[in-house]
Amino acid sequence: MKFAVLVFPGSNCDLDMFHAVQDTVGQDVDYVWHTATDLSAYDAILVPGGFSYGDYLRCGSIARFAPVMAEVYKAAEAGKFVLGVCNGFQILTEAGLLPGALIRNNSLKFRCHPVDLVVENARTAFTNAYAQGESVRIPIAHGEGNYYVDAETLEQLKKNNQIVFRYAGENPNGSIHNIAGVCNERGNVVGMMPHPERAVSELLGSKDGARMFTSVLNAWRERHGAAIGR
């Protein structure tokens, strides 16, 4: 399996994401610059956190027009696996690959600390190694992580089982329905505000994020099992 970690001007979690792949699943992984026009060699595209293009205008609103995003669209439509974390989640919503929007935290403060999450959907490409309803601990680091959708869209998310993670206990940013992560209807595109790449070892305070990477490897192997001799 081959992973691409996208890099925009202002990305700062790309190294964390790169090493999380190496440390958890040991698969091939490349940094891919925002000007790239071909992602056909990759099975999974990871859109990391940071402050793409300085987060001017709105978070993710400029990155959404980067040349590489046309290829992310193609990859998502082809059923490849796409994960957006923090600023990456913001980029995916701005690009229309995921529903909703991320707005300022209701505290108007940057929040950076571990949070407890409930796994609401353990059937996506990135969560199949978790148990439904399991509690996990993964850190957040954001100032605009307040997830918002209108009432009609929220009901669609519930109906289609597109809510992937919810905050357990304290809601750190005011997100509607305590939502911390969502997916598209097919489950191959996932976005979340917490940082699983920062929770892949007990040395980091938690290894609960590691299973997001083993999950996508599981999904890839399931899809390509015959080709790799399973």
Side-chain angles (χ1 to χ4, degrees), residues 2-221:
K2 195 164 185 178
F3 290 77
V5 175
L6 303 191
V7 184
F8 299 90
S11 296
N12 64 15
C13 299
D14 43 327
L15 274 72
D16 294 339
M17 194 74 81
F18 185 98
H19 288 288
V21 172
Q22 285 191 331
D23 293 346
T24 57
V25 292
Q27 301 295 301
D28 290 339
V29 55
D30 293 331
Y31 295 114
V32 177
W33 194 234
H34 65 116
T35 55
T37 56
D38 185 2
L39 293 177
S40 60
Y42 299 100
D43 304 294
I45 293 91
L46 309 179
V47 192
F51 302 92
S52 58
Y53 298 93
D55 275 350
Y56 298 117
L57 301 183
R58 289 187 313 277
C59 297
S61 63
I62 300 177
R64 168 257 185 282
F65 292 103
V68 74
M69 290 305 297
E71 296 304 302
V72 177
Y73 276 111
K74 292 179 185 177
E77 285 296 311
K80 292 189 177 183
F81 309 118
V82 179
L83 173 66
V85 172
C86 200
N87 191 226
F89 186 15
Q90 294 161 344
I91 293 169
L92 294 183
T93 58
E94 288 284 339
L97 285 165
L98 290 173
L102 283 307
I103 60 178
R104 290 290 302 274
N105 294 348
N106 60 352
S107 66
L108 303 182
K109 296 180 180 179
F110 190 91
R111 299 290 298 267
C112 183
H113 52 80
V115 297
D116 293 318
L117 305 174
V118 175
V119 180
E120 292 288 331
N121 182 349
R123 294 186 299 223
T124 78
F126 290 94
T127 57
N128 60 69
Y130 296 99
Q132 187 75 20
E134 181 178 357
S135 177
V136 296
R137 192 161 178 82
I138 297 176
I140 59 168
H142 58 252
E144 299 188 30
N146 185 346
Y147 182 74
Y148 176 78
V149 290
D150 61 27
E152 180 180 355
T153 304
L154 179 60
E155 290 308 308
Q156 291 175 346
L157 292 177
K158 293 177 182 178
K159 178 182 177 182
N160 297 329
N161 200 24
Q162 288 177 253
I163 300 171
V164 179
F165 294 105
R166 295 178 68 217
Y167 297 109
E170 181 198 6
N171 183 331
N173 47 42
S175 290
I176 192 168
H177 199 54
N178 290 354
I179 292 173
V182 299
C183 66
N184 64 346
E185 289 191 36
R186 295 171 67 181
N188 65 307
V189 179
V190 171
M192 59 189 297
M193 288 310 297
H195 287 266
E197 77 282 5
R198 298 183 182 179
V200 296
S201 168
E202 292 293 356
L203 289 173
L204 299 174
S206 172
K207 60 180 181 181
D208 287 344
R211 279 180 285 163
M212 293 203 69
F213 301 96
T214 55
S215 288
V216 73
L217 181 59
N218 290 342
W220 181 82
R221 284 176 170 165

